[in-house]
Amino acid sequence: MAQARGESLLKNLPHVDLVVGTQKFHRVADYVEELVGKKAARSEIGPYQKRAMDDLRFSIVDIAEEAGSQETIREQQLAPRQATAFVSIIQGCNMHCTFCIVPQTRGGERSRSIVEIVDEVRGLVSRGVKEVTLLGQIVNLYGRHELRAVAVAGVADPGRKKSPFVQLLEAVHEIDGLERLRFTSPHPIGFRDDLINALARLPKLAEHVHLPLQSGSNRILKAMHRAYTAEKYVDLVHRIRQGRKGIAITTDVIVGFPGEAGEDFKLTRDLVEQIQFDNAFVFRYSPRRGTPAAEMDKQVEESIKEQRNQDLLLVVNESARRANERLVGRDVEVLCEGRSKTNPARLMGRTRTNKIVVFEGDEKLTGEILEVRIQQANGFSLYGTPVLPTSCAARNDRA
């Protein structure tokens, strides 16, 4: 909102001192220091003592683009025994999906260098982090403007190239002490053979892919400007599952997009039923000011959106329940993240397939990888009992 509204925010919010755009996060501390200094000095001069802190003349607005801003991401603050961390690798987006405001608010794609990302991950691992998730609006398009694809060793076909994103995955994968590597969220059009191959051959890459679908109707996908068809999406899911045994696939779906008829929703529902996702986030379409979809004809009524949302959730919940129940009685690898938020008397962690597991144990297990025998599946959570620790080699074959 700050990026989109800029100085206009001050008209209705006179108490606001600082408006910072999405490419200027790194300047916040300096701006706050500047504001405090100016206003403190102004307060010493009457008759402005009571009004100085709300004087718009002292407000700062900076929403301008800044070349190289993606390289200004600073070190993360870690909690004691923190086991997981997120690392931003690409900012902005060039895809211009018609429902999305990101290209306007975050600008075009800008990728950090592989060297800097590896250095950040290595630093996190040295401080106890065992699992890192690489983040980007479209994470698998990383580096496509800054870096080149390279030829795959031993392959004569010039069409078989290794994308910058796969090059990054390989570099991070080599970091000693890193146990798990994840990424989110990819776009189907950027999910090529080299990435599917990486999932199959890099053991630290966790067996989970979040692959946004958005709609099962080709007509709606075209209106969304998603650049793939339902058929291509299904084929991609099939190839991912072939490439990595036991991989979990989750997704995003939007219902009630402008112009979505009952038949379009049925196509989405049938496709979700066909694929059997491990979980899905189902959203009712919500207009974003300044996006093409907000101006489209045939906006869907809220009551219909809600009905379709609840209907699709039933399908998703049943699919998730079946996926969880298949794990009952099995031993799974869990990275303990600490006390459960819903039940502080127990610990919680996640499997390699990103499923939440709740279990009893000492808080000293926080940050440790252990085996847990699943005894019960309840909704989206699993419940189990820790068993003897496993070796790293054995863990690679676990869920």
Side-chain angles (χ1 to χ4, degrees):
M1 183 180 69
Q3 180 70 48
R5 305 286 180 85
E7 191 171 356
S8 66
L9 286 171
L10 303 182
K11 296 178 181 178
N12 296 321
L13 302 171
H15 55 281
V16 171
D17 300 310
L18 177 60
V19 179
V20 174
T22 53
Q23 297 187 31
K24 296 298 179 73
F25 294 148
H26 58 288
R27 298 194 179 276
V28 169
D30 293 335
Y31 282 147
V32 169
E33 185 176 353
E34 178 183 341
L35 284 164
V36 171
K38 286 183 177 180
K39 295 189 177 215
R42 185 65 175 174
S43 296
E44 296 174 358
I45 306 173
Y48 300 100
Q49 292 180 352
K50 295 182 179 179
R51 297 191 294 116
M53 294 306 287
D54 287 334
D55 191 331
L56 292 181
R57 291 175 296 178
F58 294 98
S59 295
I60 295 175
V61 177
D62 187 356
I63 60 172
E65 294 183 359
E66 181 172 328
S69 63
Q70 71 275 16
E71 300 288 358
T72 62
I73 298 170
R74 297 182 178 179
E75 289 294 323
Q76 302 183 41
Q77 298 295 317
L78 297 179
R81 302 179 69 85
Q82 182 173 326
T84 64
F86 297 89
V87 173
S88 176
I89 67 169
I90 178 173
Q91 296 178 337
C93 182
N94 291 359
M95 295 304 297
H96 296 283
C97 298
T98 56
F99 54 80
C100 184
I101 196 67
V102 166
Q104 293 95 306
T105 58
R106 298 186 187 175
E109 294 172 8
R110 306 176 310 283
S111 298
R112 301 172 66 191
S113 69
I114 290 179
V115 170
E116 180 164 324
I117 295 166
V118 169
D119 284 346
E120 181 177 353
V121 175
R122 186 177 287 116
L124 290 169
V125 171
S126 71
R127 294 153 67 190
V129 169
K130 289 186 170 65
E131 174 184 295
V132 165
T133 302
L134 304 180
L135 292 179
Q137 187 67 26
I138 300 182
V139 71
N140 54 338
L141 295 184
Y142 164 83
R144 63 173 176 163
H145 303 296
E146 297 86 357
L147 305 171
R148 292 184 178 181
V150 298
V152 179
V155 178
D157 181 4
R160 296 276 305 275
K161 297 287 187 179
K162 188 184 297 181
S163 67
F165 182 58
V166 171
Q167 296 173 49
L168 173 64
L169 290 177
E170 291 176 340
V172 175
H173 188 275
E174 292 301 311
I175 296 174
D176 290 337
L178 180 68
E179 296 279 355
R180 291 180 178 178
L181 178 59
R182 304 184 187 273
F183 58 86
T184 198
S185 290
H187 192 294
I189 69 164
F191 222 109
R192 304 186 184 278
D193 289 343
D194 65 328
L195 181 50
I196 295 174
N197 178 262
L199 282 169
R201 64 184 173 81
L202 300 179
K204 292 181 183 179
L205 265 180
E207 295 88 336
H208 171 235
V209 170
H210 186 74
L211 191 65
L213 167 65
Q214 307 304 5
S215 177
S217 163
N218 289 339
R219 188 177 71 84
I220 298 300
L221 286 172
K222 185 176 181 179
M224 290 177 168
H225 198 215
R226 290 293 290 174
Y228 56 85
T229 64
E231 292 77 16
K232 289 183 178 179
Y233 184 93
V234 171
D235 177 67
L236 175 58
V237 169
H238 176 70
R239 289 188 290 123
I240 292 172
R241 284 174 169 166
Q242 275 192 323
R244 188 72 176 264
K245 180 181 178 182
I247 197 166
I249 298 180
T250 56
T251 196
D252 297 329
V253 182
I254 296 173
V255 298
F257 187 81
E260 183 187 71
E263 180 59 29
D264 296 306
F265 173 70
K266 184 177 185 302
L267 289 170
T268 298
R269 190 183 193 281
D270 290 347
L271 191 146
V272 171
E273 180 73 65
Q274 173 190 347
I275 291 178
Q276 289 292 293
F277 293 104
D278 287 69
N279 202 350
F281 297 102
V282 182
F283 303 95
R284 290 171 291 179
Y285 169 73
S286 177
R288 294 291 183 266
R289 189 173 69 176
T291 60
E295 306 299 325
M296 289 180 178
D297 295 330
K298 299 182 179 179
Q299 298 285 328
V300 178
E301 294 181 7
E302 289 299 324
S303 60
I304 295 177
K305 293 180 188 178
E306 176 63 17
Q307 180 182 0
R308 292 174 182 174
N309 182 76
Q310 294 302 319
D311 187 11
L312 193 58
L313 280 175
L314 291 175
V315 178
V316 170
N317 291 346
E318 181 61 21
S319 175
R321 182 190 64 79
R322 286 193 290 265
N324 281 350
E325 287 188 347
R326 286 193 289 269
L327 295 177
V328 174
R330 292 183 55 189
D331 293 350
V332 299
E333 177 195 294
V334 174
L335 174 56
C336 181
E337 297 180 18
R339 292 291 177 188
S340 168
K341 294 180 181 179
T342 57
N343 185 357
R346 294 186 177 185
L347 301 174
M348 64 79 59
R350 294 178 187 269
T351 68
R352 292 179 60 88
T353 53
N354 208 37
K355 300 183 188 300
I356 295 174
V357 180
V358 179
F359 54 96
E360 293 184 356
D362 193 297
E363 196 165 5
K364 293 180 180 179
L365 291 173
T366 300
E368 298 298 323
I369 292 179
L370 63 154
E371 291 285 298
V372 176
R373 183 160 298 157
I374 303 302
Q375 298 172 321
Q376 181 184 353
N378 182 14
F380 296 109
S381 296
L382 300 165
Y383 298 85
T385 302
V387 295
L388 291 176
T390 184
S391 68
C392 291
R395 286 202 301 264
N396 292 332
D397 296 326
R398 300 294 187 178

